[in-house]
Amino acid sequence: MPKKQPKADINFEKELWKAANELRGAVAENQYKDYVLPLIFLKHISERYELRRDTLKNLLQDKASDYYTLDEEEQKYVLEDPDEYLSKNTYIIPEKATWQFLQDNAEQDNIKVLVDDAFDLLDQTLATYRPDLKGILPRIFVKSQLTAKQVAGLINLLANPKLSEKENPDSDILGRVYEYYIGKFAIAEGSGAGQFFTPGSIVRLLVEMIEPYEGKIFDAACGSGGMFVQSLKFLQAHNGDKKNISIYGQERYDGTLRLCKMNLALRDLSFDVRLGDSLLQDKFPDLKADFIIVNPPFNVSQWHPEDLPENDPRLFGPKDEFTTDGNANYMWMQTFWSHLSDTGTASVVMANGAMTSNNKGEKNVRQYMVDNSMVDCIVRLPDKLFLTTGIPACIFILSKNRDGKDGKHRERTNEILFIDTSKMGTMESRKLRVFTDDDIIKVTETYHNWRNVIASETKQSAQYKNEAGYCYSATLEEVQKQDYKLTPGIYVGTEAVEDDGIPFEEKITSLKAQLQAQFIKGNELQQQILDNFKKL
């Protein structure tokens, strides 16, 4: 059962955003994250090192410790032994790459140089132990328009004891700060942030529905790693062990991939995330994941399916019938399905248009998925959940675990659960709607009660009932009779809205273009008539 999560510490978070605003004028809002987040990352790595070093010093002075009997030379060796740090998932950091060094020198005129040099040193150190982290801290401060005073102000802000893991060892404070900034930067960046950010309440719903307790977790459009972090939070809330999960991800943009690697390293997660376009450059061709949790880019056009090999193993059928250059939504679906293990489940955020599109390259895939019992659940989402796009969205739950043979879930190969949450959620601001804890619990329990044989916490048979206007368990035959349309409203009894997934602004632009073309054509016809009259 999903558990309510504690409210964030809003007070200090508001102060953090005020501090980021000090960068105004020198740095564009969509670049704030490039300066603030690497400093937070350096602070985290540095504090972890300092905490371990202090622990070792205390052990050397503790008469009850085995370290106490070591001679002076041996004690010095212990303090400088990389294995003593690696055993606690940290590293020996050069002095000039430590947070303390930057803090002590924050008021120096050359602080921008010192920060970039610290990034270089830390990057080299990390590459020694974690080659996958190499390059995540580029030199950006010296060439920026930031003043030394602005950089000093940023360092002094992050030096606040409230923001120190040394002062608050059990609070995940730097992880929370990092997560907060990613969200706020997404708001500031607007539509351009879609490549790295999915709102937290949506991520929670995706994770809670499919319950990634253990196994391989994959995100083929991993952005800044929010799906992985929420999976970790899910495990922690259910007393799970992060050693039981393996993380794999792919991201198209190098800068976003750096954010992801820093985000995961902050949480001490091991991972394999790679750079590349998952549609055309699948970096994990042999990966079979137990869970896929993903929010891929919606309605990607001109993605060049002609570049796919004719026998691409991801495709359900002939390339010319199962792809379209006009929209990559169902190429994403085929990609995810190809990466599921024999009992794997995927939760996918998708544009509403995918539920009803009649384009041959999309409908063929949707029909194949329904006929072959791939779709487990469809959730229609309310509007205004995303600040980064106006496209109406839904969730597809795909599963290879529908035969009931695992003993945990019932056999449901001839059914699809439809849930309509279009009236749910609470407006957090004029522009943004969020799912509350109660919303997430309701949707998750609905899905689990429908899917599960046993409700794990009550040890009683799971009880599911159709609820008019909210949920309905449809047979595949019912879906086939509806021409394979997957809009929940058709089945739960609410007004069936067949949305093509095109943002309102784009529709207006297209309509204007059509009217203008008709106007021009009308003028041309009028001129032609006048010319003909003149010839009479």
Side-chain angles (χ1 to χ4, degrees):
M1 176 179 175
K3 298 184 178 181
K4 293 187 178 183
Q5 297 192 354
K7 298 296 183 182
D9 186 346
I10 300 299
N11 291 328
F12 82 69
E13 290 174 343
K14 286 184 177 178
E15 292 304 314
L16 288 177
W17 186 240
K18 290 178 183 177
N21 281 336
E22 290 182 5
L23 303 180
R24 285 184 184 275
V27 176
E29 284 190 345
N30 63 356
Q31 295 177 332
Y32 284 6
K33 63 184 182 297
D34 300 328
Y35 295 90
V36 177
L37 298 181
L39 279 174
I40 293 173
F41 177 73
L42 181 145
K43 179 178 171 66
H44 168 80
I45 295 294
S46 178
E47 286 197 348
R48 288 294 304 272
Y49 159 62
E50 291 169 4
L51 283 167
R52 179 57 180 162
R53 184 185 60 190
D54 292 345
T55 298
L56 288 173
K57 285 181 177 180
N58 290 335
L59 287 172
L60 292 171
Q61 300 301 316
D62 184 356
K63 293 182 179 181
S65 167
D66 293 337
Y67 289 89
Y68 183 75
T69 60
L70 301 177
D71 61 32
E72 184 177 343
E73 192 65 29
E74 289 173 327
Q75 290 188 355
K76 182 180 179 182
Y77 176 81
V78 167
L79 288 175
E80 297 175 355
D81 181 7
D83 290 337
E84 290 286 356
Y85 297 85
L86 288 171
S87 65
K88 299 299 180 181
N89 292 320
T90 189
Y91 320 97
I92 296 177
I93 307 300
E95 179 187 358
K96 292 187 177 181
T98 62
W99 179 256
Q100 189 62 53
F101 178 81
L102 293 182
Q103 188 178 337
D104 291 343
N105 291 275
E107 306 301 330
Q108 299 295 324
D109 291 340
N110 67 336
I111 184 58
K112 292 166 65 174
V113 175
L114 296 179
V115 171
D116 278 353
D117 288 347
F119 283 177
D120 276 347
L121 282 171
L122 183 55
D123 197 72
Q124 293 166 17
T125 299
L126 293 176
T128 302
Y129 307 105
R130 293 282 302 273
D132 56 325
L133 294 181
K134 182 174 177 56
I136 64 173
L137 295 170
R139 297 182 66 91
I140 57 173
F141 276 83
V142 170
K143 61 184 180 183
S144 75
Q145 296 301 310
L146 290 168
T147 65
K149 184 176 180 180
Q150 285 174 311
V151 176
L154 196 53
I155 291 173
N156 289 333
L157 165 87
L158 295 177
N160 188 314
K162 281 187 177 181
L163 308 180
S164 170
E165 289 200 8
K166 291 179 70 175
E167 301 293 334
N168 307 279
D170 298 320
S171 66
D172 185 32
I173 192 69
L174 288 179
R176 288 172 58 198
V177 170
Y178 191 91
E179 190 173 358
Y180 169 79
Y181 268 140
I182 284 180
K184 294 298 285 188
F185 291 137
I187 293 172
E189 191 162 345
S191 60
Q195 62 184 259
F196 71 86
F197 180 74
T198 304
S201 67
I202 302 174
V203 179
R204 272 196 65 199
L205 181 58
L206 292 170
V207 171
E208 296 281 359
M209 287 186 76
I210 68 171
E211 301 179 299
Y213 286 108
E214 60 181 1
K216 296 178 180 178
I217 301 175
F218 180 49
D219 184 346
C222 62
S224 56
M227 304 296 183
F228 303 133
V229 171
Q230 186 58 46
S231 296
L232 172 63
K233 291 180 179 180
F234 172 83
L235 276 179
Q236 292 170 333
H238 293 81
N239 301 314
D241 189 340
K242 64 185 176 184
K243 293 180 181 178
N244 292 333
I245 61 172
S246 302
I247 288 173
Y248 301 86
Q250 188 166 336
E251 170 53 43
R252 180 176 183 177
Y253 299 99
D254 184 50
T256 305
L257 188 67
R258 287 199 297 270
L259 290 182
C260 179
K261 289 182 177 182
M262 285 188 277
N263 199 9
L264 299 181
L266 277 170
R267 314 303 174 106
D268 293 328
L269 288 167
S270 58
F271 52 85
D272 183 356
V273 293
R274 304 179 186 180
L275 184 66
D277 178 357
S278 293
L279 291 174
L280 298 175
Q281 302 168 321
D282 189 350
K283 298 294 185 179
F284 297 94
D286 300 320
L287 174 65
K288 298 298 181 182
D290 300 291
F291 302 98
I292 293 177
I293 313 168
V294 60
N295 176 18
F298 297 164
N299 302 333
V300 177
S301 61
Q302 298 180 334
W303 59 278
H304 302 295
E306 68 275 9
D307 292 340
L308 294 174
E310 288 294 335
N311 60 346
D312 191 307
R314 296 174 293 176
L315 298 177
F316 296 156
K319 184 169 70 171
D320 62 340
E321 295 182 21
F322 284 77
T323 63
T324 170
D325 193 38
N327 197 309
N329 289 344
Y330 275 96
M331 186 62 213
W332 284 116
M333 296 288 199
Q334 293 173 95
T335 297
F336 304 146
W337 186 261
S338 73
H339 280 297
L340 284 177
S341 69
D342 291 340
T343 57
T345 301
S347 52
V348 183
V349 182
M350 186 52 65
N352 273 5
M355 297 189 293
T356 56
S357 172
N358 282 318
N359 181 291
K360 181 182 73 170
E362 296 178 81
K363 186 179 179 182
N364 284 349
V365 180
R366 188 172 71 248
Q367 180 172 333
Y368 184 95
M369 291 168 64
V370 171
D371 289 342
N372 288 276
S373 192
M374 297 178 176
V375 182
D376 208 35
C377 178
I378 300 289
V379 181
R380 180 186 174 191
L381 298 174
D383 63 0
K384 297 184 179 179
L385 280 178
F386 296 86
L387 277 168
T388 55
T389 178
I391 300 175
C394 59
I395 295 173
F396 277 65
I397 303 290
L398 312 179
S399 181
K400 290 187 178 180
N401 191 19
R402 284 164 52 83
D403 57 14
K405 292 181 179 180
D406 65 356
K408 297 178 182 178
H409 308 122
R410 68 182 184 85
E411 191 274 325
R412 56 203 187 282
T413 52
N414 192 47
E415 302 171 53
I416 298 175
L417 177 63
F418 291 93
I419 301 175
D420 191 338
T421 69
S422 57
K423 304 301 182 183
M424 296 172 68
T426 300
M427 296 303 295
E428 187 175 73
S429 67
R430 186 172 58 86
K431 294 182 178 181
L432 180 64
R433 184 189 306 274
V434 298
F435 282 129
T436 64
D437 286 340
D438 289 337
D439 292 332
I440 293 171
I441 290 171
K442 179 177 180 178
V443 175
T444 300
E445 287 188 342
T446 299
Y447 175 56
H448 291 172
N449 287 343
W450 173 82
R451 179 190 67 172
N452 296 356
V453 173
I454 299 294
S456 58
E457 294 193 5
T458 63
K459 303 300 182 183
Q460 297 175 354
S461 296
Q463 297 296 316
Y464 167 83
K465 292 183 179 179
N466 292 332
E467 182 180 329
Y470 170 62
C471 63
Y472 183 80
S473 181
T475 64
L476 297 192
E477 184 179 8
E478 288 178 282
V479 176
Q480 290 159 350
K481 286 181 177 179
Q482 292 292 341
D483 195 26
Y484 295 92
K485 292 181 173 64
L486 298 178
T487 306
I490 296 173
Y491 305 95
V492 305
T494 55
E495 182 180 356
V497 179
E498 296 184 16
D499 198 303
D500 57 10
I502 301 175
F504 177 75
E505 294 81 358
E506 290 186 20
K507 291 180 180 179
I508 292 297
T509 301
S510 176
L511 181 59
K512 286 181 178 178
Q514 294 177 36
L515 291 174
Q516 185 177 15
Q518 292 176 5
F519 178 75
I520 293 172
K521 188 174 181 179
N523 283 346
E524 291 175 347
L525 179 60
Q526 184 181 31
Q527 186 61 49
Q528 186 177 354
I529 293 172
L530 290 174
D531 291 342
N532 288 336
F533 268 114
K534 290 178 181 178
K535 293 177 182 179
L536 294 176

